[in-house]
Amino acid sequence: LLVDGVRAGAADTVVRVVLAQGAPADLKFVPQILAAARGQHRQRRERLGDPLQQPLAFGVGLYAPYGLALEWPNNADFGIVYGKMTYLTLNPVAAWQVHPTFSAAAGLTLNYADTEIRQQAFTFAPASVNRFRGNDTDVGFNLGLLWQPLKQHSVGVNYRSPTTMNLTGSATTTGAGAPFDGRGAANATLPFPRHVVLGYSFRPTPDWNFEFNADWTQWDRLTTVNFVQPSGTVGVPFNWRSSWFY
């Protein structure tokens, strides 16, 4: 196997949010570690198209495809006043150049999520706070196809499967007084979207490359999340819509 390289660093996009009330803002970097290696079996076969004659590539990545951190004043007119989610994916991938103009890849996504959400516990107690903290792991997959019909033109598609985290942990209620305050086991089911990217590349010279990508994320899977806890089931509406990014 020939090692192509290892890359570690932060994602290209950094988002900074400053609340109108002047609350301090945090600058967050999203980590990513990627490594790839390629190789070709040297055993020769006379039969045309033997898979052992085709080049293979292997890779692994550790990255954060999703993330969330928000905090609002306690007097906000909506439920959630604090939310934080850490989502990490370990993604081993194998690729096969089926033909000089066509390659296919597939991999597993081994995912971990840790989530904390705080919101008002009861409307009759404005200062009451319910804090949920839970985590889970799940498994998904991703697929990729690359077609290069002409030397300067390439078309690709990438697919990431939807997953569902069954978050388990605890819920703590404070500020409501007896008998409402307390701590106990809690859980919530949090769906994550399927993700499809279509791309086209035009390379007029070895030093120039023009690309167009269409990126669709199925966020409408995230509707109402029910937090099951000792004080009862609390439904938090998200009602997100699927989105395109170009």
Side-chain angles (χ1 to χ4, degrees):
L1 291 177
L2 302 176
V3 178
D4 283 348
V6 177
R7 184 179 69 186
D12 296 334
T13 303
V14 178
V15 178
R16 191 173 190 178
V17 178
V18 180
L19 299 181
Q21 290 80 1
D26 292 330
L27 188 63
K28 302 293 184 182
F29 293 92
V30 181
Q32 60 179 9
I33 301 175
L34 306 171
R38 58 188 172 86
Q40 184 172 0
H41 202 291
R42 294 186 177 181
Q43 182 178 354
R44 295 184 178 181
R45 300 288 181 88
E46 294 181 357
R47 183 165 57 87
L48 183 62
D50 192 304
L52 294 178
Q53 296 186 46
Q54 307 300 332
L56 298 174
F58 303 92
V60 63
L62 177 63
Y63 54 89
Y66 313 112
L68 174 69
L70 57 87
E71 186 171 6
W72 297 95
N74 291 333
N75 61 354
D77 295 330
F78 42 85
I80 295 177
V81 296
Y82 177 87
K84 181 177 70 173
M85 180 181 68
T86 300
Y87 192 108
L88 296 174
T89 294
L90 180 65
N91 185 196
V93 179
W96 177 30
Q97 189 178 21
V98 183
H99 185 271
T101 65
F102 181 76
S103 299
L108 290 176
T109 58
L110 311 174
N111 311 298
Y112 168 80
D114 183 276
T115 301
E116 179 182 353
I117 290 180
R118 301 176 202 162
Q119 59 185 331
Q120 186 184 68
F122 302 101
T123 56
F124 63 81
S128 63
V129 175
N130 179 267
R131 176 180 179 269
F132 171 85
R133 180 75 181 268
N135 59 72
D136 190 25
T137 59
D138 70 0
V139 178
F141 66 92
N142 58 347
L143 303 171
L145 299 174
L146 177 63
W147 180 42
Q148 189 177 18
L150 299 172
K151 185 177 181 180
Q152 296 176 316
H153 302 268
S154 298
V155 179
V157 59
N158 178 268
Y159 174 85
R160 181 186 176 97
S161 71
T163 58
T164 300
M165 290 286 186
N166 297 309
L167 303 170
T168 58
S170 63
T172 304
T173 301
T174 58
F180 304 103
D181 286 359
R183 174 187 173 91
N187 64 82
T189 299
L190 191 61
F192 288 89
R194 77 172 31 85
H195 187 203
V196 181
V197 181
L198 301 174
Y200 166 73
S201 168
F202 172 59
R203 186 179 292 275
T205 71
D207 297 326
W208 284 91
N209 185 48
F210 299 92
E211 290 187 9
F212 172 80
N213 293 328
D215 183 317
W216 179 73
T217 306
Q218 191 190 14
W219 281 117
D220 62 6
R221 297 188 74 232
L222 187 60
T223 53
T224 297
V225 177
N226 293 314
F227 293 87
V228 182
Q229 48 199 22
S231 59
T233 299
V234 179
V236 177
F238 287 87
N239 298 323
W240 287 10
R241 293 182 297 178
S242 298
S243 63
W244 284 94
F245 177 78
Y246 303 98

